[in-house]
Each structure stands twice: as C-alpha cells, then as structure tokens.
Amino acid sequence: MSESEGTDIIPAPTSIVRAPTDITTVNSTLAKATIPSQDSLAKVTYYKLDLDTILDGLIPDPLPESGGKDNAIHHLNIIIFGKPNTGKTTLAESIAQALARRYGQSNVKALRATRDLPGLFQNIDKLFGRFRKPPKAILLFADDMTKALKKLSGTVEVKMSNGQLEKMRRLDYWLDKWYDIRGELFKRGMRQGLVVMVAGLHRFYGGDIDLRADADLLLVRSTGTPGTFDANKVEKMLGPVVYYAMRQHEVDALRDRKELAWTAFVAKTGSGVFRVPRPSLSTKWLMRNVGSSETSQELAVDTDEPVVQLRPHKSEEKRSVIEVVESKKRSAVEERPAVQPRHRLQPKQRRRGRGRRVGIIVAALGIFALAFLTWKYVLPFLR
C-alpha cells in the first residue's frame, strides 16, 4: 500500500528503551563541524533495539496467502553499506538468524555469493528440495555487489518468441532478475512466503540507482570518508544526528573492535543507531556459499519461453558461452562429478552371478560323491 504525500508514518508502540549516552566529542578531522547536542544523540541511540523489532515493522504478520494462481510472495529489499572488514557478512547472517527465529530454521533458506551475481541466480534451485514444499522465507545475499556489478560487462542476445534477437547489457539482464525475484521464485513453485534480498555495498556509487531507491531498509556499518559522495549520500539518508552518532562509534572502533557492532539504520518506521552483536560461534550459519566455483552446472529445462544466450565481451572471448534457459515446467541442476561413480549391478545380474557360483559348487559335490561311491562299492565288486 503506497502512502499519500504528506502522510506521517507512525511506528507501532514497542518496548524500545532509549538510554542516555555519554559520547565524548572527538577533536579530529572525522568530527562534524556542527556537533549535535548530547540530548539529540541520546534520542537516536537505542540500547534495547534489535533486528527482530525492526523487521516487525517491515514484514506483515501473518504473511499474505495465495489463492493458488496469484503471486503473494512478500518482497523485502535491504542494503548493507560499509567499508571492507566492518562486518557486512555477519550482519547478513544476523538477518538470516532473525528469520529463523521467526519462522523456524528448517523453513528458512539462504544463499550468499561474493562478487558473482549470476552465480547467485544460477544456484537458486538449491533452495528447493525435491518433493518438498517451498521454504517459508528465502534470503539472497549479494556480498560485495559493488564489484559484482563491475564484472558484468558485455552484452546479451535475447531470443524472443518471434525468433528475433535483441541485444541488452549483461548488467541489465542480471539486475532484471534481481528486481523480478518474485517472478523467478514463482516459476519454481513458490506462491507465498517471504523473500529478502540483501545487497552489500562498500561503495555507494557502485550500486545501481534503482537498487538504492527501492531499499526498504538501509543498514550502515561505516559512514564513509567525510566530504565524499558516499558520506554525503549516507548522511542525507540517515539524517545529520544519526550520521554523527554512528561516526562516534566508528572512532571508538579504532580502539575497540566491539564497537563495530553498532549499526545505523533507516526504514519507513524510523531511523537511529542500535547494536547488532556478532552471531555466536556455536550457532550454525544458515547461509550457503555459492559462486563462480559452483556456477559451471548446466541448467536443464523444458521451455516455451525465450532462449537467452550470453555472449561475452571482446575481452572475454576466451571464456565459454553461458546458456541460460528459463523453465516452464521445472528446472533441475545437473552436476557432473569429477569421478564417475562405479556402476552397480542390477538385482537380476546379482542373482545370476550368485546362481552360477552355487551351480559350480553343487556340481563339484556331485562329482566327489560319485567318486566316493565308486571307490567304496564298485571297486571291491570288480576285485
């Protein structure tokens, strides 16, 4: 439901407790020229806010149900922004754990691909177990999407239903799949549930403009160097007070890495700074890593829909051509094992071999018995 212009969104009452914080002003080039008051900083710093509460305001409960033919999948788009080594991957895992707490670990499936957007979509079928119902929630994490988008050079020839070929950029082709993820899942038999798309960016200008515009939730682990494009954009999205509060934690993180757990956020329900602790080492991670080492599978499908052939750029002519076919009935990933398995004998062949051995043993026993009888009874008679 779209909100009319000028309408204020009032978040639902929660048990969030704002505690005053004693933030020391840092005299360095990282500090802003205009420093917000401590009272303002205390109002945007949440000590008891967690991801579960933030997701409560973004995910309907219960989820929409499908009548069978309609697509009722709820879509949530999240961006995690931060410099390298600031915990973007662990933050994405924390989101997966929050979904597991909500729907049960067996009902949540998650994939992570690093700098490989095609690999993320070419492995979607791994989320659906054969003869099983679709999961309740799916999380797809494009780690370091800044580099992933830069790698998508060249063009794609799309063969339309009328037989004509149309060229489009590889970047646009794979981003279309990102934006139409509900349709991709619908083709695989998912009619309802939740899909969470998480993009990790360490350069804000490296993200597609539509990707940033459609974000339902922005999670910030570092604010960027002051005066740069990234810093200015993040400040506008967070607001000056939240931006400065997050910057103070960045300065403290230079001395104590635990301060990296502090995360700035902005969503329709509000903005602020809260703490997201690192997932426990004893906790089993839900995200399954996929990528270039696993994208050599063939997608074998039956289809009436357009056949898409990806032709590499001139600088990539030596690379093999990737053929992608979108399925009508079902799609199956066929993996070619490095070592061919030994063919096992069929039950009939096993019975035949066993019967042959028994026959030889019986014949040998018969010959032995005949020789014994001849020696005992026939030879004395002849003498």
Side-chain angles (χ1 to χ4, degrees):
M1 182 182 294
S2 60
E3 298 289 338
S4 60
E5 296 183 358
T7 302
D8 294 331
I9 300 177
I10 303 175
T14 64
S15 59
I16 299 173
V17 177
R18 296 190 183 99
T21 180
D22 186 14
I23 298 179
T24 305
T25 303
V26 178
N27 295 323
S28 67
T29 57
L30 292 179
K32 297 293 291 182
T34 304
I35 302 175
S37 64
Q38 290 192 359
D39 183 60
S40 299
L41 294 172
K43 289 181 180 179
V44 300
T45 303
Y46 299 87
Y47 283 83
K48 293 190 177 181
L49 180 63
D50 53 19
L51 279 172
D52 298 271
T53 307
I54 293 178
L55 294 177
D56 284 342
L58 301 174
I59 301 175
D61 186 22
L63 289 169
E65 293 186 1
S66 172
K69 295 183 179 180
D70 60 317
N71 190 339
I73 302 173
H74 186 73
H75 181 205
L76 189 62
N77 189 15
I78 299 176
I79 290 180
I80 302 177
F81 174 75
K83 295 178 181 179
N85 200 30
T86 53
K88 296 188 296 295
T89 302
T90 54
L91 187 55
E93 175 62 23
S94 296
I95 297 174
Q97 295 293 341
L99 296 177
R101 289 190 294 271
R102 182 179 294 258
Y103 302 114
Q105 185 167 332
S106 60
N107 295 321
V108 177
K109 304 293 182 182
L111 290 182
R112 169 185 174 240
T114 303
R115 304 178 183 178
D116 189 1
L117 192 59
L120 193 64
F121 292 98
Q122 290 172 357
N123 286 276
I124 286 183
D125 294 287
K126 293 184 178 181
L127 299 172
F128 298 87
R130 195 175 182 184
F131 304 120
R132 296 179 183 177
K133 63 180 181 179
K136 187 83 171 180
I138 288 177
L139 184 145
L140 298 179
F141 177 37
D143 201 354
D144 200 350
M145 198 168 184
T146 306
K147 294 288 181 65
L149 297 180
K150 288 184 177 180
K151 290 171 62 177
L152 296 177
S153 60
T155 59
V156 178
E157 283 193 348
V158 182
K159 187 176 182 180
M160 307 303 293
S161 56
N162 58 6
Q164 295 181 353
L165 297 177
E166 293 185 4
K167 286 187 177 182
M168 65 182 301
R169 297 190 306 163
R170 290 185 68 206
L171 176 64
D172 295 333
Y173 174 76
W174 291 109
L175 278 177
D176 284 348
K177 288 187 175 294
W178 180 274
Y179 298 132
D180 190 35
I181 184 61
R182 295 173 71 250
E184 293 292 321
L185 298 176
F186 189 81
K187 295 173 186 176
R188 290 162 173 81
M190 190 174 179
R191 299 291 183 266
Q192 59 190 23
L194 172 68
V195 57
V196 180
M197 306 296 289
V198 183
L201 299 176
H202 70 265
R203 286 291 180 269
F204 217 65
Y205 62 80
D208 186 72
I209 186 171
D210 291 330
L211 183 70
R212 303 194 303 265
D214 295 339
D216 298 298
L217 174 64
L218 173 65
L219 299 173
V220 178
R221 276 297 174 101
S222 64
T223 56
T225 306
T228 61
F229 176 87
D230 286 344
N232 294 336
K233 286 294 181 181
V234 172
E235 182 178 2
K236 288 181 179 179
M237 297 182 74
L238 297 178
V241 179
V242 175
Y243 180 85
Y244 181 78
M246 182 60 192
R247 173 140 294 171
Q248 297 304 301
H249 290 294
E250 281 189 89
V251 175
D252 294 338
L254 297 176
R255 298 182 296 271
D256 184 3
R257 284 188 58 83
K258 292 182 180 180
E259 290 295 314
L260 290 175
W262 285 96
T263 305
F265 80 97
V266 58
K268 295 178 181 179
T269 53
S271 62
V273 180
F274 72 113
R275 189 177 181 86
V276 185
R278 183 183 180 90
S280 174
L281 295 177
S282 60
T283 303
K284 181 180 179 181
W285 278 43
L286 295 176
M287 285 192 298
R288 179 175 183 178
N289 291 320
V290 295
S292 56
S293 62
E294 299 185 52
T295 55
S296 59
Q297 300 101 341
E298 275 183 28
L299 299 180
V301 285
D302 298 326
T303 179
D304 290 345
E305 298 182 7
V307 177
V308 181
Q309 293 185 345
L310 305 185
R311 293 188 178 179
H313 194 258
K314 292 182 179 180
S315 61
E316 300 175 336
E317 289 180 352
K318 294 184 180 180
R319 298 182 182 178
S320 59
V321 178
I322 306 172
E323 294 185 357
V324 180
V325 185
E326 297 182 355
S327 73
K328 174 184 177 182
K329 298 180 180 178
R330 67 181 181 87
S331 61
V333 178
E334 295 182 350
E335 297 184 1
R336 298 180 180 179
V339 180
Q340 295 294 336
R342 182 182 300 174
H343 295 287
R344 297 182 177 179
L345 297 176
Q346 298 295 329
K348 290 184 179 180
Q349 294 176 336
R350 293 180 181 176
R351 287 195 293 268
R352 289 175 184 173
R354 195 176 299 126
R356 195 176 295 113
R357 290 193 296 269
V358 171
I360 294 173
I361 295 173
V362 171
L365 292 175
I367 294 172
F368 178 78
L370 183 61
F372 176 77
L373 293 174
T374 302
W375 172 77
K376 188 170 183 180
Y377 296 105
V378 177
L379 287 179
F381 178 77
L382 293 176
R383 291 174 183 175

